[in-house]
Amino acid sequence: MAKNALLGKAKAAKNDEFYTQYQDIQKEINAYIEYNPNVFRGKTILLPCDDPEWSNFTYFFAQNFAFFGLKKLISTSYAIESKNYKTDWQPTLFETENPRFRADKTRVCGKIFTLDHDTNASGRIDIDDLEWDYLQGDGDFRSAEVTALRDEADIIITNPPFSLFREFLAWIMEANKQFAIIGNMNAITYKEVFPLIKENKIWIDNPFVRGAGYFTSPMKLDTTLSYFNSHDYREGFIRVPGVRWFTNIELGRRHQPIRLMTMADNLEFSKKLKGQTEYLHYDNYDAIEVPFTELIPKDYNGIMGVPISFLDKYCPEQFEMVGCANHGKDNEYDLFAPTINGVGIYKRILIRHKNLQ
């Protein structure tokens, strides 16, 4: 609860600076590589909403530039967020002489880091070849400057400001780019998001073990630090449940059907149904309530309401997505406010089997 409260306060204050763990980035990217080893080959990757000086996104892709066969890596920072965390930072001579730098030691411009060639003649392109400069503006992803970088890129990968998640996703979809971004699970039922999921234009992936690991203050990119462990006692480290990857990059695990039992077997053997003799029906819609994904009956051909976490295991070849049920009535696919015996039920995804119709 304390972790969720921290995120709530951050959202209210428009403080979106949470630093993603290296290992969480690695797990997701590996899934794309396993499905298609050449998914990044010859591609330009943009890491917007980033802070290249602290970011594990920049560190990960710079380290693996040659292995992935990248064409170019671009990473940008947002100046206002950067200066808030670098209170002990001292400007270089280059910075003090740059016209886009204030005398009071606060930057008015974001930074851009690029990687596309071997600058130090080491024989390989890696993190030591990163080059940087100032952006013309503050680095806001909505600016014409960063939008031009979006248009140049093939793939966009980042942890965007969660208070601007809807707008950021729309910004990506407008350009028809491949992407992998981190967002809250509840975004699934947003009117801007659910239609894309229903139409199989984007999907959800969840490689986070025990929730997403974040640092609430930056850690300097230092190879002496272990980015591969996740000790919750480290200063500024929190774990946040309900966080997912939203992506349109193909990966194999989303095509694995869920193994299910019959309705009769679930009712007889599952302790989670608490002695029920039948599945409950909603008061105001012709569908049954399925409180856990593993309790989806494999022999029921009607509509079923399932938790939004069902999308972690959703196989588009196995199920059709009908709509959603949510008290907020957020979008045209929000078909009703789910209640059973007059008691409200948390938001649901409405599905039915494809092979039983």
PDB file of all heavy atoms in Angstrom, residues 188-191 193-195 198 285 303-306 308 311 321-338 346-351:
ATOM      1  N   ILE A 188      -5.484  -0.578 -19.442  1.00  0.00           N
ATOM      2  CA  ILE A 188      -6.105  -1.500 -20.396  1.00  0.00           C
ATOM      3  C   ILE A 188      -7.518  -1.053 -20.775  1.00  0.00           C
ATOM      4  O   ILE A 188      -7.923  -1.157 -21.935  1.00  0.00           O
ATOM      5  CB  ILE A 188      -6.133  -2.925 -19.812  1.00  0.00           C
ATOM      6  CG1 ILE A 188      -4.728  -3.513 -19.842  1.00  0.00           C
ATOM      7  CG2 ILE A 188      -7.095  -3.827 -20.567  1.00  0.00           C
ATOM      8  CD1 ILE A 188      -4.586  -4.777 -19.032  1.00  0.00           C
ATOM      9  N   THR A 189      -8.280  -0.536 -19.823  1.00  0.00           N
ATOM     10  CA  THR A 189      -9.670  -0.184 -20.108  1.00  0.00           C
ATOM     11  C   THR A 189      -9.845   1.277 -20.522  1.00  0.00           C
ATOM     12  O   THR A 189     -10.981   1.724 -20.700  1.00  0.00           O
ATOM     13  CB  THR A 189     -10.567  -0.485 -18.886  1.00  0.00           C
ATOM     14  OG1 THR A 189     -10.077   0.235 -17.740  1.00  0.00           O
ATOM     15  CG2 THR A 189     -10.569  -1.967 -18.579  1.00  0.00           C
ATOM     16  N   TYR A 190      -8.759   2.031 -20.679  1.00  0.00           N
ATOM     17  CA  TYR A 190      -8.883   3.403 -21.173  1.00  0.00           C
ATOM     18  C   TYR A 190      -9.491   3.381 -22.570  1.00  0.00           C
ATOM     19  O   TYR A 190      -9.199   2.485 -23.375  1.00  0.00           O
ATOM     20  CB  TYR A 190      -7.512   4.082 -21.258  1.00  0.00           C
ATOM     21  CG  TYR A 190      -6.838   4.387 -19.952  1.00  0.00           C
ATOM     22  CD1 TYR A 190      -5.517   4.835 -19.937  1.00  0.00           C
ATOM     23  CD2 TYR A 190      -7.477   4.231 -18.727  1.00  0.00           C
ATOM     24  CE1 TYR A 190      -4.861   5.122 -18.760  1.00  0.00           C
ATOM     25  CE2 TYR A 190      -6.828   4.520 -17.539  1.00  0.00           C
ATOM     26  CZ  TYR A 190      -5.516   4.960 -17.559  1.00  0.00           C
ATOM     27  OH  TYR A 190      -4.858   5.241 -16.388  1.00  0.00           O
ATOM     28  N   LYS A 191     -10.275   4.381 -22.877  1.00  0.00           N
ATOM     29  CA  LYS A 191     -10.907   4.448 -24.200  1.00  0.00           C
ATOM     30  C   LYS A 191      -9.880   4.587 -25.316  1.00  0.00           C
ATOM     31  O   LYS A 191     -10.147   4.220 -26.464  1.00  0.00           O
ATOM     32  CB  LYS A 191     -11.908   5.589 -24.258  1.00  0.00           C
ATOM     33  CG  LYS A 191     -11.305   6.976 -24.086  1.00  0.00           C
ATOM     34  CD  LYS A 191     -12.388   8.051 -24.099  1.00  0.00           C
ATOM     35  CE  LYS A 191     -11.798   9.446 -23.913  1.00  0.00           C
ATOM     36  NZ  LYS A 191     -12.847  10.497 -23.898  1.00  0.00           N
ATOM     37  N   VAL A 193      -6.985   3.024 -25.222  1.00  0.00           N
ATOM     38  CA  VAL A 193      -6.128   1.837 -25.212  1.00  0.00           C
ATOM     39  C   VAL A 193      -6.888   0.561 -25.553  1.00  0.00           C
ATOM     40  O   VAL A 193      -6.433  -0.238 -26.377  1.00  0.00           O
ATOM     41  CB  VAL A 193      -5.434   1.682 -23.836  1.00  0.00           C
ATOM     42  CG1 VAL A 193      -4.560   0.434 -23.804  1.00  0.00           C
ATOM     43  CG2 VAL A 193      -4.610   2.925 -23.507  1.00  0.00           C
ATOM     44  N   PHE A 194      -8.062   0.368 -24.945  1.00  0.00           N
ATOM     45  CA  PHE A 194      -8.756  -0.909 -25.109  1.00  0.00           C
ATOM     46  C   PHE A 194      -9.063  -1.258 -26.564  1.00  0.00           C
ATOM     47  O   PHE A 194      -8.887  -2.419 -26.968  1.00  0.00           O
ATOM     48  CB  PHE A 194     -10.043  -0.943 -24.280  1.00  0.00           C
ATOM     49  CG  PHE A 194     -10.732  -2.272 -24.345  1.00  0.00           C
ATOM     50  CD1 PHE A 194     -10.276  -3.340 -23.590  1.00  0.00           C
ATOM     51  CD2 PHE A 194     -11.813  -2.480 -25.194  1.00  0.00           C
ATOM     52  CE1 PHE A 194     -10.880  -4.586 -23.668  1.00  0.00           C
ATOM     53  CE2 PHE A 194     -12.429  -3.713 -25.271  1.00  0.00           C
ATOM     54  CZ  PHE A 194     -11.960  -4.772 -24.513  1.00  0.00           C
ATOM     55  N   PRO A 195      -9.536  -0.324 -27.388  1.00  0.00           N
ATOM     56  CA  PRO A 195      -9.786  -0.693 -28.788  1.00  0.00           C
ATOM     57  C   PRO A 195      -8.550  -1.227 -29.497  1.00  0.00           C
ATOM     58  O   PRO A 195      -8.656  -2.123 -30.339  1.00  0.00           O
ATOM     59  CB  PRO A 195     -10.268   0.629 -29.416  1.00  0.00           C
ATOM     60  CG  PRO A 195     -10.835   1.404 -28.284  1.00  0.00           C
ATOM     61  CD  PRO A 195      -9.964   1.063 -27.102  1.00  0.00           C
ATOM     62  N   LYS A 198      -8.182  -4.827 -28.276  1.00  0.00           N
ATOM     63  CA  LYS A 198      -9.252  -5.659 -28.839  1.00  0.00           C
ATOM     64  C   LYS A 198      -8.999  -5.975 -30.305  1.00  0.00           C
ATOM     65  O   LYS A 198      -9.258  -7.085 -30.777  1.00  0.00           O
ATOM     66  CB  LYS A 198     -10.603  -4.958 -28.678  1.00  0.00           C
ATOM     67  CG  LYS A 198     -11.798  -5.771 -29.164  1.00  0.00           C
ATOM     68  CD  LYS A 198     -13.089  -5.018 -28.939  1.00  0.00           C
ATOM     69  CE  LYS A 198     -14.281  -5.866 -29.355  1.00  0.00           C
ATOM     70  NZ  LYS A 198     -14.263  -6.208 -30.805  1.00  0.00           N
ATOM     71  N   TYR A 285     -26.204  -8.271 -17.378  1.00  0.00           N
ATOM     72  CA  TYR A 285     -25.624  -8.634 -18.667  1.00  0.00           C
ATOM     73  C   TYR A 285     -25.539 -10.155 -18.746  1.00  0.00           C
ATOM     74  O   TYR A 285     -25.292 -10.828 -17.741  1.00  0.00           O
ATOM     75  CB  TYR A 285     -24.220  -8.027 -18.818  1.00  0.00           C
ATOM     76  CG  TYR A 285     -23.678  -8.070 -20.227  1.00  0.00           C
ATOM     77  CD1 TYR A 285     -24.043  -7.096 -21.161  1.00  0.00           C
ATOM     78  CD2 TYR A 285     -22.809  -9.074 -20.628  1.00  0.00           C
ATOM     79  CE1 TYR A 285     -23.550  -7.124 -22.454  1.00  0.00           C
ATOM     80  CE2 TYR A 285     -22.302  -9.109 -21.929  1.00  0.00           C
ATOM     81  CZ  TYR A 285     -22.678  -8.136 -22.834  1.00  0.00           C
ATOM     82  OH  TYR A 285     -22.187  -8.165 -24.113  1.00  0.00           O
ATOM     83  N   ILE A 303     -20.416 -15.688 -23.183  1.00  0.00           N
ATOM     84  CA  ILE A 303     -19.513 -14.605 -22.817  1.00  0.00           C
ATOM     85  C   ILE A 303     -19.124 -14.726 -21.355  1.00  0.00           C
ATOM     86  O   ILE A 303     -19.961 -15.047 -20.494  1.00  0.00           O
ATOM     87  CB  ILE A 303     -20.170 -13.242 -23.097  1.00  0.00           C
ATOM     88  CG1 ILE A 303     -20.446 -13.090 -24.598  1.00  0.00           C
ATOM     89  CG2 ILE A 303     -19.281 -12.093 -22.620  1.00  0.00           C
ATOM     90  CD1 ILE A 303     -21.196 -11.832 -24.964  1.00  0.00           C
ATOM     91  N   MET A 304     -17.856 -14.459 -21.055  1.00  0.00           N
ATOM     92  CA  MET A 304     -17.326 -14.576 -19.703  1.00  0.00           C
ATOM     93  C   MET A 304     -16.637 -13.271 -19.313  1.00  0.00           C
ATOM     94  O   MET A 304     -15.920 -12.681 -20.122  1.00  0.00           O
ATOM     95  CB  MET A 304     -16.317 -15.733 -19.625  1.00  0.00           C
ATOM     96  CG  MET A 304     -16.897 -17.084 -19.990  1.00  0.00           C
ATOM     97  SD  MET A 304     -15.621 -18.376 -20.205  1.00  0.00           S
ATOM     98  CE  MET A 304     -15.024 -17.985 -21.862  1.00  0.00           C
ATOM     99  N   GLY A 305     -16.843 -12.846 -18.078  1.00  0.00           N
ATOM    100  CA  GLY A 305     -16.130 -11.703 -17.539  1.00  0.00           C
ATOM    101  C   GLY A 305     -14.926 -12.178 -16.756  1.00  0.00           C
ATOM    102  O   GLY A 305     -15.066 -12.967 -15.817  1.00  0.00           O
ATOM    103  N   VAL A 306     -13.735 -11.728 -17.125  1.00  0.00           N
ATOM    104  CA  VAL A 306     -12.499 -12.178 -16.491  1.00  0.00           C
ATOM    105  C   VAL A 306     -11.725 -10.971 -15.975  1.00  0.00           C
ATOM    106  O   VAL A 306     -11.901  -9.847 -16.454  1.00  0.00           O
ATOM    107  CB  VAL A 306     -11.630 -12.989 -17.471  1.00  0.00           C
ATOM    108  CG1 VAL A 306     -12.333 -14.271 -17.880  1.00  0.00           C
ATOM    109  CG2 VAL A 306     -11.275 -12.149 -18.714  1.00  0.00           C
ATOM    110  N   ILE A 308      -8.800  -8.178 -15.428  1.00  0.00           N
ATOM    111  CA  ILE A 308      -7.953  -7.553 -16.445  1.00  0.00           C
ATOM    112  C   ILE A 308      -6.580  -8.226 -16.515  1.00  0.00           C
ATOM    113  O   ILE A 308      -5.915  -8.167 -17.546  1.00  0.00           O
ATOM    114  CB  ILE A 308      -7.810  -6.034 -16.208  1.00  0.00           C
ATOM    115  CG1 ILE A 308      -7.200  -5.739 -14.835  1.00  0.00           C
ATOM    116  CG2 ILE A 308      -9.144  -5.338 -16.362  1.00  0.00           C
ATOM    117  CD1 ILE A 308      -6.937  -4.253 -14.606  1.00  0.00           C
ATOM    118  N   LEU A 311      -5.163 -10.607 -19.450  1.00  0.00           N
ATOM    119  CA  LEU A 311      -4.394 -10.230 -20.631  1.00  0.00           C
ATOM    120  C   LEU A 311      -2.931 -10.632 -20.536  1.00  0.00           C
ATOM    121  O   LEU A 311      -2.228 -10.665 -21.541  1.00  0.00           O
ATOM    122  CB  LEU A 311      -4.518  -8.725 -20.875  1.00  0.00           C
ATOM    123  CG  LEU A 311      -5.894  -8.261 -21.359  1.00  0.00           C
ATOM    124  CD1 LEU A 311      -5.906  -6.761 -21.577  1.00  0.00           C
ATOM    125  CD2 LEU A 311      -6.306  -8.986 -22.629  1.00  0.00           C
ATOM    126  N   MET A 321     -12.041 -11.222 -27.894  1.00  0.00           N
ATOM    127  CA  MET A 321     -12.326 -10.189 -26.919  1.00  0.00           C
ATOM    128  C   MET A 321     -13.595  -9.443 -27.342  1.00  0.00           C
ATOM    129  O   MET A 321     -13.644  -8.864 -28.424  1.00  0.00           O
ATOM    130  CB  MET A 321     -11.143  -9.229 -26.787  1.00  0.00           C
ATOM    131  CG  MET A 321     -10.998  -8.621 -25.415  1.00  0.00           C
ATOM    132  SD  MET A 321      -9.470  -7.654 -25.270  1.00  0.00           S
ATOM    133  CE  MET A 321      -8.245  -8.917 -25.609  1.00  0.00           C
ATOM    134  N   VAL A 322     -14.627  -9.480 -26.500  1.00  0.00           N
ATOM    135  CA  VAL A 322     -15.930  -8.899 -26.827  1.00  0.00           C
ATOM    136  C   VAL A 322     -16.008  -7.430 -26.429  1.00  0.00           C
ATOM    137  O   VAL A 322     -16.549  -6.589 -27.150  1.00  0.00           O
ATOM    138  CB  VAL A 322     -17.057  -9.703 -26.150  1.00  0.00           C
ATOM    139  CG1 VAL A 322     -18.414  -9.078 -26.416  1.00  0.00           C
ATOM    140  CG2 VAL A 322     -17.022 -11.153 -26.615  1.00  0.00           C
ATOM    141  N   GLY A 323     -15.500  -7.109 -25.262  1.00  0.00           N
ATOM    142  CA  GLY A 323     -15.588  -5.746 -24.747  1.00  0.00           C
ATOM    143  C   GLY A 323     -15.049  -5.712 -23.333  1.00  0.00           C
ATOM    144  O   GLY A 323     -14.323  -6.611 -22.904  1.00  0.00           O
ATOM    145  N   CYS A 324     -15.424  -4.697 -22.585  1.00  0.00           N
ATOM    146  CA  CYS A 324     -15.023  -4.613 -21.193  1.00  0.00           C
ATOM    147  C   CYS A 324     -16.213  -4.150 -20.361  1.00  0.00           C
ATOM    148  O   CYS A 324     -17.213  -3.643 -20.883  1.00  0.00           O
ATOM    149  CB  CYS A 324     -13.822  -3.696 -20.996  1.00  0.00           C
ATOM    150  SG  CYS A 324     -14.046  -2.008 -21.566  1.00  0.00           S
ATOM    151  N   ALA A 325     -16.129  -4.349 -19.068  1.00  0.00           N
ATOM    152  CA  ALA A 325     -17.171  -3.941 -18.127  1.00  0.00           C
ATOM    153  C   ALA A 325     -16.504  -3.125 -17.039  1.00  0.00           C
ATOM    154  O   ALA A 325     -15.611  -3.605 -16.353  1.00  0.00           O
ATOM    155  CB  ALA A 325     -17.868  -5.172 -17.532  1.00  0.00           C
ATOM    156  N   ASN A 326     -16.943  -1.889 -16.903  1.00  0.00           N
ATOM    157  CA  ASN A 326     -16.243  -0.974 -16.013  1.00  0.00           C
ATOM    158  C   ASN A 326     -17.225   0.078 -15.521  1.00  0.00           C
ATOM    159  O   ASN A 326     -18.020   0.599 -16.300  1.00  0.00           O
ATOM    160  CB  ASN A 326     -15.081  -0.318 -16.746  1.00  0.00           C
ATOM    161  CG  ASN A 326     -14.243   0.569 -15.857  1.00  0.00           C
ATOM    162  OD1 ASN A 326     -14.335   0.507 -14.634  1.00  0.00           O
ATOM    163  ND2 ASN A 326     -13.434   1.406 -16.466  1.00  0.00           N
ATOM    164  N   HIS A 327     -17.176   0.393 -14.267  1.00  0.00           N
ATOM    165  CA  HIS A 327     -18.104   1.376 -13.701  1.00  0.00           C
ATOM    166  C   HIS A 327     -17.863   2.785 -14.230  1.00  0.00           C
ATOM    167  O   HIS A 327     -18.724   3.643 -14.140  1.00  0.00           O
ATOM    168  CB  HIS A 327     -18.009   1.365 -12.171  1.00  0.00           C
ATOM    169  CG  HIS A 327     -18.494   0.081 -11.569  1.00  0.00           C
ATOM    170  ND1 HIS A 327     -19.801  -0.108 -11.224  1.00  0.00           N
ATOM    171  CD2 HIS A 327     -17.862  -1.086 -11.294  1.00  0.00           C
ATOM    172  CE1 HIS A 327     -19.958  -1.338 -10.729  1.00  0.00           C
ATOM    173  NE2 HIS A 327     -18.795  -1.942 -10.766  1.00  0.00           N
ATOM    174  N   GLY A 328     -16.679   2.994 -14.803  1.00  0.00           N
ATOM    175  CA  GLY A 328     -16.376   4.329 -15.298  1.00  0.00           C
ATOM    176  C   GLY A 328     -17.002   4.664 -16.636  1.00  0.00           C
ATOM    177  O   GLY A 328     -17.055   5.818 -17.030  1.00  0.00           O
ATOM    178  N   LYS A 329     -17.460   3.657 -17.401  1.00  0.00           N
ATOM    179  CA  LYS A 329     -18.005   3.877 -18.734  1.00  0.00           C
ATOM    180  C   LYS A 329     -17.046   4.711 -19.588  1.00  0.00           C
ATOM    181  O   LYS A 329     -17.400   5.734 -20.162  1.00  0.00           O
ATOM    182  CB  LYS A 329     -19.367   4.580 -18.642  1.00  0.00           C
ATOM    183  CG  LYS A 329     -20.473   3.705 -18.085  1.00  0.00           C
ATOM    184  CD  LYS A 329     -20.955   2.721 -19.127  1.00  0.00           C
ATOM    185  CE  LYS A 329     -22.136   1.902 -18.627  1.00  0.00           C
ATOM    186  NZ  LYS A 329     -22.571   0.893 -19.593  1.00  0.00           N
ATOM    187  N   ASP A 330     -15.808   4.237 -19.675  1.00  0.00           N
ATOM    188  CA  ASP A 330     -14.761   5.031 -20.319  1.00  0.00           C
ATOM    189  C   ASP A 330     -14.811   5.017 -21.844  1.00  0.00           C
ATOM    190  O   ASP A 330     -14.339   5.934 -22.482  1.00  0.00           O
ATOM    191  CB  ASP A 330     -13.379   4.531 -19.876  1.00  0.00           C
ATOM    192  CG  ASP A 330     -13.008   5.059 -18.501  1.00  0.00           C
ATOM    193  OD1 ASP A 330     -13.597   6.057 -18.092  1.00  0.00           O
ATOM    194  OD2 ASP A 330     -12.144   4.460 -17.849  1.00  0.00           O
ATOM    195  N   ASN A 331     -15.336   3.962 -22.453  1.00  0.00           N
ATOM    196  CA  ASN A 331     -15.266   3.879 -23.905  1.00  0.00           C
ATOM    197  C   ASN A 331     -16.449   3.105 -24.462  1.00  0.00           C
ATOM    198  O   ASN A 331     -17.246   2.522 -23.736  1.00  0.00           O
ATOM    199  CB  ASN A 331     -13.938   3.235 -24.334  1.00  0.00           C
ATOM    200  CG  ASN A 331     -13.794   1.805 -23.824  1.00  0.00           C
ATOM    201  OD1 ASN A 331     -14.504   0.916 -24.275  1.00  0.00           O
ATOM    202  ND2 ASN A 331     -12.867   1.573 -22.891  1.00  0.00           N
ATOM    203  N   GLU A 332     -16.574   3.100 -25.785  1.00  0.00           N
ATOM    204  CA  GLU A 332     -17.719   2.480 -26.438  1.00  0.00           C
ATOM    205  C   GLU A 332     -17.751   0.970 -26.232  1.00  0.00           C
ATOM    206  O   GLU A 332     -18.796   0.336 -26.399  1.00  0.00           O
ATOM    207  CB  GLU A 332     -17.701   2.793 -27.928  1.00  0.00           C
ATOM    208  CG  GLU A 332     -16.464   2.264 -28.648  1.00  0.00           C
ATOM    209  CD  GLU A 332     -16.461   2.640 -30.120  1.00  0.00           C
ATOM    210  OE1 GLU A 332     -17.355   2.161 -30.844  1.00  0.00           O
ATOM    211  OE2 GLU A 332     -15.583   3.407 -30.518  1.00  0.00           O
ATOM    212  N   TYR A 333     -16.622   0.379 -25.888  1.00  0.00           N
ATOM    213  CA  TYR A 333     -16.568  -1.055 -25.632  1.00  0.00           C
ATOM    214  C   TYR A 333     -16.895  -1.395 -24.177  1.00  0.00           C
ATOM    215  O   TYR A 333     -16.937  -2.556 -23.806  1.00  0.00           O
ATOM    216  CB  TYR A 333     -15.177  -1.593 -25.989  1.00  0.00           C
ATOM    217  CG  TYR A 333     -14.838  -1.445 -27.451  1.00  0.00           C
ATOM    218  CD1 TYR A 333     -13.988  -0.435 -27.886  1.00  0.00           C
ATOM    219  CD2 TYR A 333     -15.377  -2.310 -28.405  1.00  0.00           C
ATOM    220  CE1 TYR A 333     -13.673  -0.293 -29.228  1.00  0.00           C
ATOM    221  CE2 TYR A 333     -15.074  -2.177 -29.751  1.00  0.00           C
ATOM    222  CZ  TYR A 333     -14.222  -1.167 -30.158  1.00  0.00           C
ATOM    223  OH  TYR A 333     -13.919  -1.018 -31.493  1.00  0.00           O
ATOM    224  N   ASP A 334     -17.112  -0.384 -23.363  1.00  0.00           N
ATOM    225  CA  ASP A 334     -17.483  -0.575 -21.958  1.00  0.00           C
ATOM    226  C   ASP A 334     -18.983  -0.848 -21.917  1.00  0.00           C
ATOM    227  O   ASP A 334     -19.799   0.069 -21.933  1.00  0.00           O
ATOM    228  CB  ASP A 334     -17.119   0.680 -21.177  1.00  0.00           C
ATOM    229  CG  ASP A 334     -17.197   0.474 -19.679  1.00  0.00           C
ATOM    230  OD1 ASP A 334     -17.533  -0.634 -19.259  1.00  0.00           O
ATOM    231  OD2 ASP A 334     -16.920   1.433 -18.952  1.00  0.00           O
ATOM    232  N   LEU A 335     -19.357  -2.120 -21.870  1.00  0.00           N
ATOM    233  CA  LEU A 335     -20.731  -2.522 -22.145  1.00  0.00           C
ATOM    234  C   LEU A 335     -21.681  -2.385 -20.967  1.00  0.00           C
ATOM    235  O   LEU A 335     -22.873  -2.196 -21.160  1.00  0.00           O
ATOM    236  CB  LEU A 335     -20.739  -3.973 -22.651  1.00  0.00           C
ATOM    237  CG  LEU A 335     -19.880  -4.218 -23.911  1.00  0.00           C
ATOM    238  CD1 LEU A 335     -19.975  -5.677 -24.336  1.00  0.00           C
ATOM    239  CD2 LEU A 335     -20.306  -3.306 -25.054  1.00  0.00           C
ATOM    240  N   PHE A 336     -21.163  -2.478 -19.747  1.00  0.00           N
ATOM    241  CA  PHE A 336     -22.038  -2.356 -18.579  1.00  0.00           C
ATOM    242  C   PHE A 336     -21.195  -2.216 -17.325  1.00  0.00           C
ATOM    243  O   PHE A 336     -19.984  -2.463 -17.335  1.00  0.00           O
ATOM    244  CB  PHE A 336     -22.968  -3.573 -18.462  1.00  0.00           C
ATOM    245  CG  PHE A 336     -22.252  -4.861 -18.118  1.00  0.00           C
ATOM    246  CD1 PHE A 336     -22.347  -5.392 -16.833  1.00  0.00           C
ATOM    247  CD2 PHE A 336     -21.508  -5.548 -19.064  1.00  0.00           C
ATOM    248  CE1 PHE A 336     -21.693  -6.572 -16.506  1.00  0.00           C
ATOM    249  CE2 PHE A 336     -20.848  -6.725 -18.753  1.00  0.00           C
ATOM    250  CZ  PHE A 336     -20.953  -7.238 -17.471  1.00  0.00           C
ATOM    251  N   ALA A 337     -21.843  -1.823 -16.231  1.00  0.00           N
ATOM    252  CA  ALA A 337     -21.183  -1.758 -14.931  1.00  0.00           C
ATOM    253  C   ALA A 337     -21.458  -3.072 -14.211  1.00  0.00           C
ATOM    254  O   ALA A 337     -22.607  -3.362 -13.855  1.00  0.00           O
ATOM    255  CB  ALA A 337     -21.708  -0.579 -14.120  1.00  0.00           C
ATOM    256  N   PRO A 338     -20.458  -3.910 -14.005  1.00  0.00           N
ATOM    257  CA  PRO A 338     -20.705  -5.270 -13.502  1.00  0.00           C
ATOM    258  C   PRO A 338     -21.143  -5.314 -12.036  1.00  0.00           C
ATOM    259  O   PRO A 338     -20.485  -4.748 -11.161  1.00  0.00           O
ATOM    260  CB  PRO A 338     -19.344  -5.955 -13.681  1.00  0.00           C
ATOM    261  CG  PRO A 338     -18.349  -4.846 -13.635  1.00  0.00           C
ATOM    262  CD  PRO A 338     -19.033  -3.655 -14.243  1.00  0.00           C
ATOM    263  N   TYR A 346     -15.144  -5.414  -9.642  1.00  0.00           N
ATOM    264  CA  TYR A 346     -14.080  -4.612 -10.261  1.00  0.00           C
ATOM    265  C   TYR A 346     -14.088  -4.832 -11.771  1.00  0.00           C
ATOM    266  O   TYR A 346     -14.600  -5.835 -12.268  1.00  0.00           O
ATOM    267  CB  TYR A 346     -12.726  -4.991  -9.672  1.00  0.00           C
ATOM    268  CG  TYR A 346     -11.607  -4.046 -10.043  1.00  0.00           C
ATOM    269  CD1 TYR A 346     -11.595  -2.737  -9.582  1.00  0.00           C
ATOM    270  CD2 TYR A 346     -10.577  -4.464 -10.879  1.00  0.00           C
ATOM    271  CE1 TYR A 346     -10.569  -1.853  -9.918  1.00  0.00           C
ATOM    272  CE2 TYR A 346      -9.544  -3.592 -11.229  1.00  0.00           C
ATOM    273  CZ  TYR A 346      -9.557  -2.294 -10.742  1.00  0.00           C
ATOM    274  OH  TYR A 346      -8.557  -1.432 -11.093  1.00  0.00           O
ATOM    275  N   LYS A 347     -13.521  -3.909 -12.516  1.00  0.00           N
ATOM    276  CA  LYS A 347     -13.557  -3.927 -13.976  1.00  0.00           C
ATOM    277  C   LYS A 347     -13.166  -5.291 -14.536  1.00  0.00           C
ATOM    278  O   LYS A 347     -12.290  -5.992 -14.019  1.00  0.00           O
ATOM    279  CB  LYS A 347     -12.653  -2.825 -14.553  1.00  0.00           C
ATOM    280  CG  LYS A 347     -11.204  -2.938 -14.168  1.00  0.00           C
ATOM    281  CD  LYS A 347     -10.361  -1.784 -14.724  1.00  0.00           C
ATOM    282  CE  LYS A 347     -10.705  -0.456 -14.079  1.00  0.00           C
ATOM    283  NZ  LYS A 347      -9.771   0.631 -14.538  1.00  0.00           N
ATOM    284  N   ARG A 348     -13.822  -5.675 -15.601  1.00  0.00           N
ATOM    285  CA  ARG A 348     -13.636  -6.973 -16.225  1.00  0.00           C
ATOM    286  C   ARG A 348     -13.425  -6.842 -17.732  1.00  0.00           C
ATOM    287  O   ARG A 348     -13.899  -5.900 -18.364  1.00  0.00           O
ATOM    288  CB  ARG A 348     -14.863  -7.872 -15.979  1.00  0.00           C
ATOM    289  CG  ARG A 348     -15.036  -8.323 -14.522  1.00  0.00           C
ATOM    290  CD  ARG A 348     -13.925  -9.267 -14.137  1.00  0.00           C
ATOM    291  NE  ARG A 348     -14.133  -9.916 -12.856  1.00  0.00           N
ATOM    292  CZ  ARG A 348     -13.461  -9.624 -11.752  1.00  0.00           C
ATOM    293  NH1 ARG A 348     -12.568  -8.646 -11.762  1.00  0.00           N
ATOM    294  NH2 ARG A 348     -13.676 -10.295 -10.643  1.00  0.00           N
ATOM    295  N   ILE A 349     -12.713  -7.825 -18.306  1.00  0.00           N
ATOM    296  CA  ILE A 349     -12.611  -7.987 -19.746  1.00  0.00           C
ATOM    297  C   ILE A 349     -13.617  -9.064 -20.138  1.00  0.00           C
ATOM    298  O   ILE A 349     -13.732 -10.093 -19.461  1.00  0.00           O
ATOM    299  CB  ILE A 349     -11.191  -8.428 -20.160  1.00  0.00           C
ATOM    300  CG1 ILE A 349     -10.150  -7.419 -19.675  1.00  0.00           C
ATOM    301  CG2 ILE A 349     -11.107  -8.619 -21.672  1.00  0.00           C
ATOM    302  CD1 ILE A 349     -10.243  -6.065 -20.308  1.00  0.00           C
ATOM    303  N   LEU A 350     -14.366  -8.850 -21.199  1.00  0.00           N
ATOM    304  CA  LEU A 350     -15.378  -9.807 -21.652  1.00  0.00           C
ATOM    305  C   LEU A 350     -14.831 -10.599 -22.836  1.00  0.00           C
ATOM    306  O   LEU A 350     -14.406 -10.010 -23.843  1.00  0.00           O
ATOM    307  CB  LEU A 350     -16.655  -9.083 -22.048  1.00  0.00           C
ATOM    308  CG  LEU A 350     -17.295  -8.243 -20.940  1.00  0.00           C
ATOM    309  CD1 LEU A 350     -18.473  -7.447 -21.471  1.00  0.00           C
ATOM    310  CD2 LEU A 350     -17.722  -9.110 -19.770  1.00  0.00           C
ATOM    311  N   ILE A 351     -14.837 -11.919 -22.695  1.00  0.00           N
ATOM    312  CA  ILE A 351     -14.246 -12.790 -23.709  1.00  0.00           C
ATOM    313  C   ILE A 351     -15.170 -13.959 -24.021  1.00  0.00           C
ATOM    314  O   ILE A 351     -16.143 -14.209 -23.297  1.00  0.00           O
ATOM    315  CB  ILE A 351     -12.893 -13.359 -23.238  1.00  0.00           C
ATOM    316  CG1 ILE A 351     -13.100 -14.251 -21.992  1.00  0.00           C
ATOM    317  CG2 ILE A 351     -11.895 -12.241 -22.947  1.00  0.00           C
ATOM    318  CD1 ILE A 351     -11.881 -15.077 -21.612  1.00  0.00           C
TER     319      ILE A 351
END
